[in-house]
Amino acid sequence: MSFVTFIQHCLTGVSLGGAYALIAIGYSMVYGILLLINFAHADIFMMAGYFMIFSVSSFPWQISIPIVILGTVVLGVLIEKAAYMPLRSAPRMSIMISAIGVSYLLQNLATYLFSALPQAYPAIPPLKRQIRIGEVSASLVTFLTPVLTIILVFLLIFLLRKTKIGMAMRAVSKDYDTSKLMGIKINSIISLTFVIGSALAAVGSILYFTDRMSVTPFSGVLPGLKCFVAAVLGGIGSVPGAVIGGFLIGLSETFLVALGYSTFSDAFTFLLLILILLFRPTGLMGEDLQDKV
Amino acid sequence: MNQTVWKKRYSFYLSLLVLLVALGLLFWLEVNKSNYGMAVSVIQKSLVFSVVAVSMNLLNGFTGMFSLGQAGFMAIGAYTTAILTIPLSRVDGVYYMKGVAPWLKGVKTTLSVLPEPLLIVFALLIGGMIAGIFAFFIGIPVLRLKSDYLAIATLGFSEIVRAVISSPQLDRVTNGSYGLKNIPGFGVTQAGGVLPVGAGSLLIPFFFALTTIAFIVLVINSSYGRAFKAIREDEVAAEAMGINLLKHKQLAFVISSVITAMAGGMLAMYMRSIEARAFSVTLTYDILLIVVIGGLGSVSGSVLGAFVVTFAKDWFLRFFDSPLVIGGFQVPFLRMGFRMVVFSILLMIVVLFYRRGLMGSSEFSWKGIFRWIRRKKEGVETTKGEMIDYPDPPPAKPAPLIPDPPGAPQEGGRDER
Amino acid sequence: AQTPSAPTDEQPSSDKVIRIGVFQPVTGENGGGGFQEVLGIRYAHEKFPTIDIDGETYAIELVEVDNKSDKTEAVTVAANLVSRQVSIVIGSYGSGVSIAAGPTFEEAQIPVIAPSATNPQVTEGNDYYFRVCFLDPFQGKVMATYAIDNGATKAAVITQLGDDYSSGLGNFFLKAFADLGGEIVSEQQFQTNQTDFKAILTNIKAADPDVIFAPSSIATAPLLIKQARELGITAQIMAGDTWENQTIIDNAGEDAEGVAISTFFDENDTSTPLAGEFVTGFKEFINANSEYYNKNGGDGVAAVSALGYDAYLTAYEAIKAAQSTDSVAIRDALVGIELEGVTGAIAFDENGDAKKNMAYIKVIQGGQFTFDKTVMTE
Amino acid sequence: MKDKPVLSTQDLTMQFGGVVALNNLTMRIDPGEIVALIGPNGAGKTTAFNAITGVYPPTNGFVELEGKIIQQGFPKGKMKRLYAGENAGKYTKSLSLTPDRITKKGVARTFQNIRLFKNLTVFENVLIAHHTNMKAGVFQAAFGMNRKEEEDMRKRSWELLEMVDLSDVGLEKADNLPYGKQRHLEIARALATKPRLLLLDEPAAGMNPQETQEMGDFIRDIRERFSLTILIIEHHMNLVMDISDRIYVLDFGRQIAEGTPAEIQKNPEVIAAYLGVEQ
Amino acid sequence: MSLLEVRDLYVSYGGIEALKGISFDVEEGDIVTLIGANGAGKSTTLNCISGLVRAASGTIRYNGEEIQNMDSQKVVSRGISLVPEGRKVFPNLTVRENLLIGAYLRKDKAEIQEDLRKIYELFPRLEERHWQAAGTLSGGEQQMLAVGRGLMASPHLLMLDEPSLGLAPQLVKDIFSIIVRIQEMGKTVLLIEQNANAALNIANRAYVLSTGEIIKSGAGKELLDDQDVKDAYLGVQA
Ligand SMILES: Nc1ncnc2c1ncn2[C@@H]1O[C@H](COP(=O)(O)OP(=O)(O)OP(=O)(O)O)[C@@H](O)[C@H]1O
Ligand SMILES: Nc1ncnc2c1ncn2[C@@H]1O[C@H](COP(=O)(O)OP(=O)(O)OP(=O)(O)O)[C@@H](O)[C@H]1O
Ligand SMILES: [Mg+2]
Ligand SMILES: [Mg+2]
């Protein structure tokens, strides 16, 4: 592999990793607070793709971006209210099935409404600008993704670590009743989690689809699974962990495919995950808190 | 009579009756397969899925281990069964891309002395065994992980299995990602034998389901089953009660995997043609869905769930997919893809309103039905989810392990043994 | 009394019915192409809604099922068709699902006509599977010849793992290209549902081929094309019949220019009157229904629509020849059938494959598939 | 009658990060004794239980059960640097049986924060505890080939419930029992494993003085009936002084006193650290 | 008008009736205690007041406002704080964070810091371990933390559910003197205690609960001398 090819692969991997990281954070946050693997997250991400397609058909892209973020946030919060909130006191598995149900529903609804055919994702001209450095060529979005990811993540970490809201989120994650006794509005806190997670998914979707150019009802499935793995690998519930996981998976996937082992690219992701879990049973950055006996 | 007291032997006779009726019905259906193809196909699938669901329930519902590796074990079983049972004459056509590995052909030639039914049983057992060995070895490191970490690790294992099966390196054994076809089905397919065409296509999966599920039920009701439940409730306390966590988790994991793999083999025979892609996470989610819809920790729930979900998804809701014109009026919404939308909505409704699944964690029993009917007759209001959920009254003596056979002394009398 | 063959809006109210199963993907990966094929069948059905058997008029009923481009689902819905007592089946777009469902139909002794499934395995060893299109070995050779004729010496091949059509055709191309003296400089594979081809394309770029042969689904086509151009790859991209779909051009835009494909039919080649008649009629049919129009991506006539039409016609003729609704009788009639379809003459060889030896090459120019040349083999 | 001690610990130390929760505990318990372990909150009492029963492998020192070592450890890895306890370097072997092995060897315990199998019935809670002594393998058990054994287990479970006065609620969910009853159930469950040594962690917590007294009688009673040796942690001094033969006192992980109840009550150090000025 | 008025309160769990129509009052500035055997319904009463458990019927009035079946979070904002049974500290937050979250609804930053200091003074052990995840504290340490967290809310009515459970004898005494000090600060306390002696000693008023009903009430000292109460709850005095 020549040096130029190597750099090109790195670029692809890092950019992919950045988008993964943004989605992984959504999984991680919702898990952190509801202990719920939000299977629908991947499909919220997919819907964000469609929102952009529709929005761009009537508005310029500058206006579409906030519309897409807003729309995705509304969708995320709506799902929470309709499918998860009524199940607050239900067994964990029921909520998980509810999440799978929402995921199926979004996929099938999208298939039904927009057909299974891929729809072209609108090109956002500045993001698509070709940048050429020597032999390496890529569009701006490829360079932008990791940078934007890092900035957003720092903001988020600040929110979680340094503010009262962050503390309330961590409290709610352990015990609803006692949190209520502290005066915490748990529903608002949970909604906020979904707002943040969905907004990040929307940003992630813009970056991801701009790079990949088309959306289908099943576009979310594979990245969804990978991002979930990224979240677990990093230590589910931990934001920096999700980011590390995202980049790790983005890079390893790209290189595996590049080396001709594309059958094994997903398998390798999982192998990596299992190996890491064997040495760190709660992921790279996960809190290793067992209840005291 | 309103005041009749439920007796144990009633249950026995009723069960026997239902079993006989079911057998008769199944036999009738399979002989008339050509007219009821859809029913036969859906029942076959339901039976196979109920086995997988029950063995998944053994892990998730009874042992409290959140495992998502089902698709992987099914794949192991399915591929083993398929590879061993594809008729020798068809092998070259199946492996048309890269050809079949010579050693495999050798093995198959040797095995071809077995009559087909025996070969199939043999293949299923081998599939189960391979899965069991896998389960045992990956269990050692993986079962130490907790809840969702275990889930994702087992899911990962399942995806790795799938990738390995479809890898080009194994092209000559598993036919890589092209899948296998010409797998023999359940029933007699060629006319001219002693049995009518189609015979066995339902009874074989039925007996398979019956025996495997019965085995799991026996395990659950044994002391080991109680140890599993203890682990589900509180690992620390279970360990303090002298229950070896790893050993018991592994036991549950291996049992579940072996049976899942055998069911995978059955699934291969049902599908007649398989590919690795079919054994993806989605398959596991589908099973999980069945388990939870049926009721986590309820065997009868899993069986019920398998039938309800499969029937709804594959059959009853089909009409939503085709445009319907009634008196020149085109019914809105009905077109391809609508069925799955309806299915997802129904699914959500079930989850939201039966949050503990159709059966909760209780089991089906004639006694429960009987009481429920009596209550209905007396006009006593029953609350949702409580239908079959009646705790037994405190017994005068410990409940016996195995229900008394008919004719044994009835409950109430204190007999010391 | 009914007037046969007069297209009417409402179903003929005859109580005699014969059912033709339509076994196609309408959703999933191949949902787009599958639907186009269905359109051809529906159009044919609209033209020929009834048939006379033994002096009685039977209404033909289309029983449509969706196999979702999924091999597992395919077997289930095939069983569904069998249970609904169809006399003959048309389908499916995509060789993989056809191969998977083959044994089910064979066992139920129901004949199937594949309009566009090109993989040899579809009909091989299955007495009940027929097809009205050419096969992949032929198609691979056609494209290899075309590449060599255009001066290419180095080719890269991209195939989809687990897709019989894609890897099959890729393989046939590979062999033919090497036989013709070309060099294969890179062989890359990707997985179903993969949307990121940058890694494999980067490798291809490093190998610097003259042409890239990438037979795959409509869904992946625009992604491949656009990502290749983004990486600065300038080699000509070529593919098989599946790519003849307007959405690819719509999605890939400018980048699609120059892409070459082989196909079964050309709407501008109206050398036979039958084809010309079909093209006008079909366009009207499409334009009359906005859903059809949208999903077809305009009123272009896809080759698979033409093949769908031909498959229906073949089934129609076979039923007529058999003078029976019995599926086995129809199958026997199919073996010896000969007719003139819009994609050429149809007659089956001993495998059940139509004896066809001509393919059209089209190149995308100015946002349209433009006819380049026809290729025939002996 | 001083033969081999049932349990003895030597230099038993348990350190979490920088916190030395248990420092150099050396104690012995002779057969048939009731020994109490007391001390202020956070003194390391529960930690001692955890180290003895294998929940944590000890950082340093060892535990012997009837003359055989069941737990032994020395600081390794990062702990080598961090180690703040005593006798570093004295031990070089490590051995840690898992809690189930230790239970099998005859040590049973209850938990400070009750840990019942909440969704199972009271009866099942006790029945499960018999599992550890079961002989049958999984196939034998599944196919009912150990009917005799199974029936025995059931009979003994009811007997135990009878003893703690819970047989009338035997088919209730354990979680629905009031707090005090749950504590009794935990003891019954522990007894079902057929222990020779029973460790009780605050069995009278949450009980009123009346109930506490009854608990004292109950503990004495089971000692006789099952010929047990008992190690108990309690903050109810009336109970402790009433039933124990000997008392060990911990403070900040260290043993600060050992003696009979009378001696301990007078010990100025214990009064200062734990009991308070006037009793 | 009393600060808190409970009238005819019924609560049931599924089929089981835990409270069968109890009525009692808590006067402003009093210490009121509920005593009773295990399972009598004491905790249920407090949980119902703070909105964790739904009342089947009956009313609860606080400052004249009906608060039965009000959302917990709202009840808290009215100035009622509960130190729940079984400690319920947030295991993943540090000791300090647990205390701060107790003051979640308060806006007075300076006073929060002052209160934090006071609590560290009361329980020096907490200050020593302020960085430790609460889940790894010993049982008694967690109990201190739970009480401290309740105090951080600076509530008008403080409800304590067995605050002395699992505490060392000396600390038990401290707890009771803290409760008296809280009263002296002008707050009202509703207390559940198994340590009935001590509770009755400091209580202005006491109610005895038995299987979901109030069977006795009176001034704290009065009940201390009551023979029935002595027999049932106080045991033989050492
Ligand atoms: N897993 C752990 N991680 C960190 N510190 C711990 C852990 N377990 C216990 N500790 C600390 O060790 C000390 C001793 O705890 P332990 O539970 O043994 O106290 P105890 O004597 O039982 O007190 P109590 O009477 O309050 O129950 C405490 O200060 C506690 O914070
Ligand atoms: N969540 C619940 N589900 C079912 N029953 C419950 C539940 N909580 C309490 N109970 C029952 O309600 C009754 C009253 O319980 P409560 O906890 O109020 O008693 P308590 O007086 O606080 O007792 P303790 O002194 O043990 O804390 C008990 O019989 C108990 O078993
Ligand atoms: Mg303790
Ligand atoms: Mg209570």
Side-chain angles (χ1 to χ4, degrees), chain A residues 292, chain D residues 21 41-47 112 235, chain E residues 129 132 138 140-141:
Chain A
K292 186 175 172 292
Chain D
N41 295 118
K45 306 179 294 294
T46 303
T47 305
Q112 182 171 5
H235 287 301
Chain E
R129 295 292 171 82
Q132 190 173 337
S138 86
E141 289 164 345

Side-chain angles (χ1 to χ4, degrees), chain E residues 42-44 85 161-162 192:
Chain E
K42 307 180 296 293
S43 304
T44 304
E85 182 174 33
D161 197 341
E162 304 196 25
I192 294 182

